[in-house]
Every structure is written in structure tokens, then in C-alpha cells.
Amino acid sequence: MPDRGSLTIRRASLVDPDTENIQENTRVRVEDGIVVEVGPDPGGPVASAEVDAAGLYAVPGLIDCHVHVIAHTVDEYALTMEPPSYVTARAAVELRAMLGRGFTTVRDMAGADHGLVRAVDEGVLAGPRLFAGGRALSQTGGHGDLRPAGQNVHDTHYWTPGLGRVCDGVPEVRRAVRDEIRRGAAHIKLMLSGGCSSPTDRIGSLQFSEEEIRAAVEEASAAGIYCAGHAYTSAAVERALRLGVRTIEHGNLIDESVLPLFSENGAFYVPTLITYTALVEDGPAYGLSPESRAKTLEVLDGGLRALELADRAGVPIAFGTDLLGPLRIRQSEEFRIRAQVQTPGAVLRSATTVAARVLGQEGRLGVIAPGAHADLLLTRHDPLSDITRLAEPAEEIALVIQAGTFTV
């Protein structure tokens, strides 16, 4: 979106996620959507054009590193048969809703394209800064292949709404990666194990050959971007990290054996715990099949344990949710779940400074500091004391500011 906002915030308690320090009575000055000064408040009356944040906490804008902005339905197969105009309209509604929850930046992990990115960048649509990877890549019968077992035809037209594209063999994988990059992908997502919503695979299956994964990583690296991997098991995660995949999505079934590989390979872990709770509790009411619910139950209990193991091992952990359809209203509940095994500071970093590193936006996003985008929240309580309050954004967030402009 255009950086055009200019404002001054007075008397705020400024939260630094990395140091876990709070700077009381702070003034933040913004010009053209960029923070230009952070320092002690000079005192005196607050002008009518300034924001009086006395009693409030200035928190960096939140970042969700795993969303699907076009997935307005839990039934991913049904999504592929809808008009793209309708899907885009529904995406616009969700983008605005995410912004209202305090998420000023999101990373779309399958489905959003350069058109939505452009619409947000130009201010045509209100929404978070959008880092989109286009379609996720899947082998035939993999997590991104949503055809029922009895269906042969797969509509390969790119403008058919959907989250994935099917490719097999090194030449097809190279072509698919290059095509997604041509279309503006900020990253490439690879389906490297089975998943809950795919009808013909098993959670523990390994997907794509090592040669195919190497080809995808090589093409992404040549273009200056990275590969993200959907993977649940230690076997799938080990292979992904060894072959150069930079972010691991989900990872519910990992054990201690793979944790050192994250730091050794400069990789990040992106758990998405709320989606499993939401799918089990509410998914069937919104069209989740019994088969998908059964697979969700396979990974539900392991997610919190995997997060705890990764946190103890010092793995860089980013915030993600992966919610679909009407379940996306539960996006902020991820804070409450993570707080069961992580400190408030660790959870806040996952949604700010660590997430900014995933996006290659250190110093620009996830912080309130000179040179950063003026994306921030004013909250009613200190998130470093109780991060779970962010699970109720309507009550907790007093104001959302993006690029120096009020959004809600």
C-alpha cells in the first residue's frame, strides 16, 4: 500500500519484542508512512492532530506467516469450481478483517496472486501487506491435488481458483517454479508430505523426489527467493531441510532428531496450531469431510508438543494460523494456544521480529524504530505480561495503524 501517513503518537508505552523492554512515556513520529523518530515524550499538551496514547502500549504490527486469503471455504475442492471474481471479492473481505485483528502483514501460503498483491500495494483493497507465493506445488496425488480418487481430469488453467498446481518430474517442477516466479511469487511452497484436506494421500507420506525438491530449491534460489515446505513428520522435515527448504510449515509430528537442522541450515519453523483445533471443533459444520477430520485428529495432539520441543531447542519460530473459510475468525486464538508452552515474549517475537526475518524485512517490519514502516497497534495491556489478551482483538486493540494511517 502507498506509504503516505504522517502522524505523531504521544505518551505511549513502547514495546520492544526482542529486548522485552518497555519504554514508558514515548513519542513516535511518522512521516510518509515511515517511522522517523522514537524518543522520550517532550511533555506538554497533546495537540488535536496528535494521538494521545497515554495508558496504552505501542506494539509492532502483527505478522501472520501462514494464511490463505482466497480460501473462503473449508472445502478446498469446491473453491476450484467458483468464479474468480467471487473468490476475489471474498478475499477482499477477509483482508480487511485480518487488518482489524492487528495483522498488518501476512504471508499467503497458497492461492493469492500478484493481482491481490498489487491491489493491496496500490490501496485499491484495504488489507495487510501481502507476501504471496501463488500456487503451491504438488505431485500427482499429493497434498495439493484435490481430485477425488474417481476423477481423472485436472483443470490446469491458472485462473481456476485454487491453492495448488500439480507437477511431476524435474522438468515439470522447474517449469512450475519458473512460472510462479514469472507471476510474481515472493516464495515457492512445496507440498512435501500428506495433509489433512487432500483426499488421496496419507499424512506420513513423503512427496516429491529428492531430485524434484533440489530442482525447486535451485530455481527459487536463482531468482533470489526461497522454498517453504508443507511437512508433518520428522522424515519429511529432515529431507526438506537437508535439501535447502527454508521454512517448515506445520511440523506437528517432529521429534528432537530434526531440531538441530534448523539452525544448521538457517531455517525457520512455522507451526499453525489453531487450525487443527478449529477444524476438529467446527470444520464439519462448514463442509469438512469425515475423512479430513480423521486426518486432522492424527496431527492435533502433536502440534503443541512439537512447538515446545522447538522452543526449548532455540529454533527460530514464526507465527502462523492456516485457517480456512469461516474458521479464519479464530486467527488471534493462536496467541492463547502458544502461551501454553512459550513465554509471552517468545510468542510476540514469533509474530513480529522473527516473522520479519522470514520475510527478509528485518528493521522494516516487526519493530517500531526509525526507518521501519509505521505499522503498529495500540493495546490496552502489556503483551509481555499477558500475550493471551491478543486472542481477543476487539477488546484488546484500541487502534491499528498501518503505514502511518488509521485502519480501524
Side-chain angles (χ1 to χ4, degrees):
M1 70 294 303
D3 278 332
R4 57 181 180 272
S6 300
L7 80 162
T8 298
I9 301 169
R10 297 279 307 277
R11 305 198 297 176
S13 295
L14 188 75
V15 177
D16 184 328
D18 274 343
T19 64
E20 298 192 21
N21 287 330
I22 295 178
Q23 186 176 335
E24 305 285 353
N25 201 35
T26 300
R27 180 178 70 175
V28 179
R29 287 202 310 110
V30 175
E31 296 292 343
D32 297 325
I34 301 296
V35 177
V36 295
E37 181 185 359
V38 176
D41 191 272
V46 177
S48 59
E50 299 175 324
V51 177
D52 188 354
L56 300 175
Y57 293 81
V59 181
L62 304 174
I63 304 170
D64 190 332
C65 282
H66 195 125
V67 303
H68 297 289
V69 301
I70 75 162
H72 69 86
T73 172
V74 171
D75 187 342
E76 294 181 29
Y77 181 66
L79 183 69
T80 66
M81 294 179 280
E82 293 187 329
S85 53
Y86 177 75
V87 172
T88 300
R90 293 295 297 266
V93 173
E94 179 58 24
L95 285 164
R96 181 179 287 275
M98 288 181 175
L99 194 58
R101 298 180 200 120
F103 292 94
T104 55
T105 300
V106 297
R107 184 179 68 147
D108 190 274
M109 292 309 292
D113 64 7
H114 64 96
L116 282 174
V117 173
R118 180 178 174 185
V120 172
D121 284 347
E122 294 178 359
V124 175
L125 294 181
R129 299 176 190 276
L130 181 58
F131 291 75
R135 299 284 182 90
L137 275 55
S138 169
Q139 68 177 41
T140 294
H143 182 50
D145 186 347
L146 299 176
R147 291 173 297 172
Q151 179 181 333
N152 290 326
V153 177
H154 178 75
D155 190 344
T156 59
H157 194 289
Y158 195 86
W159 297 115
T160 299
L163 305 186
R165 63 187 294 174
V166 174
C167 49
D168 295 292
V170 169
E172 283 190 21
V173 169
R174 287 191 186 277
R175 182 183 296 274
V177 174
R178 291 170 180 175
D179 191 43
E180 293 299 337
I181 293 169
R182 179 183 71 85
R183 296 177 185 276
H187 51 267
I188 300 295
K189 184 181 180 183
L190 306 174
M191 301 302 198
L192 302 180
S193 80
C196 299
S197 59
S198 36
T200 62
D201 63 5
R202 296 171 177 82
I203 291 289
S205 65
L206 296 178
Q207 298 181 6
F208 281 130
S209 68
E210 293 200 1
E211 292 76 18
E212 290 168 321
I213 298 170
R214 285 194 187 96
V217 170
E218 181 180 304
E219 293 295 336
S221 178
I225 62 175
Y226 64 91
C227 286
H230 163 102
Y232 279 110
T233 65
S234 287
V237 170
E238 184 278 331
R239 198 169 63 138
L241 294 175
R242 174 166 49 83
L243 297 174
V245 173
R246 184 168 172 267
T247 73
I248 298 297
E249 315 300 310
H250 316 305
N252 295 44
L253 304 180
I254 61 174
D255 58 30
E256 294 92 336
S257 66
V258 299
L259 299 179
L261 297 177
F262 283 91
S263 59
E264 291 173 14
N265 294 280
F268 297 83
Y269 180 35
V270 189
T272 58
L273 302 183
I274 182 55
T275 192
Y276 308 105
T277 299
L279 284 171
V280 168
E281 292 178 355
D282 302 325
Y286 295 113
L288 185 72
S289 70
E291 294 79 11
S292 289
R293 187 177 187 275
K295 288 205 286 184
T296 303
L297 286 168
E298 289 184 45
V299 301
L300 173 65
D301 291 338
L304 199 62
R305 178 178 178 273
L307 173 62
E308 184 174 19
L309 290 174
D311 182 69
R312 289 179 179 177
V315 172
I317 301 170
F319 188 97
T321 55
D322 192 32
L323 291 161
L324 305 174
L327 306 180
R328 292 180 297 190
I329 197 172
R330 301 183 66 172
Q331 182 179 23
S332 300
E333 292 181 38
E334 183 79 13
F335 289 104
R336 184 180 293 120
I337 294 176
R338 294 192 182 206
Q340 296 178 52
V341 297
Q342 289 186 287
T343 66
V347 179
L348 184 61
R349 285 190 290 276
S350 75
T352 53
T353 53
V354 177
R357 288 164 54 200
V358 169
L359 300 174
Q361 296 291 310
E362 302 97 315
R364 297 281 287 167
L365 297 174
V367 294
I368 304 172
H373 291 293
D375 296 356
L376 58 101
L377 320 176
L378 294 179
T379 66
R380 304 185 192 283
H381 301 86
D382 172 14
L384 295 173
S385 296
D386 184 2
I387 194 71
T388 67
R389 290 185 180 274
L390 286 175
E392 303 292 343
E395 288 74 30
E396 178 59 19
I397 298 174
L399 189 65
V400 179
I401 296 171
Q402 185 187 50
T405 300
F406 304 151
T407 63
V408 293

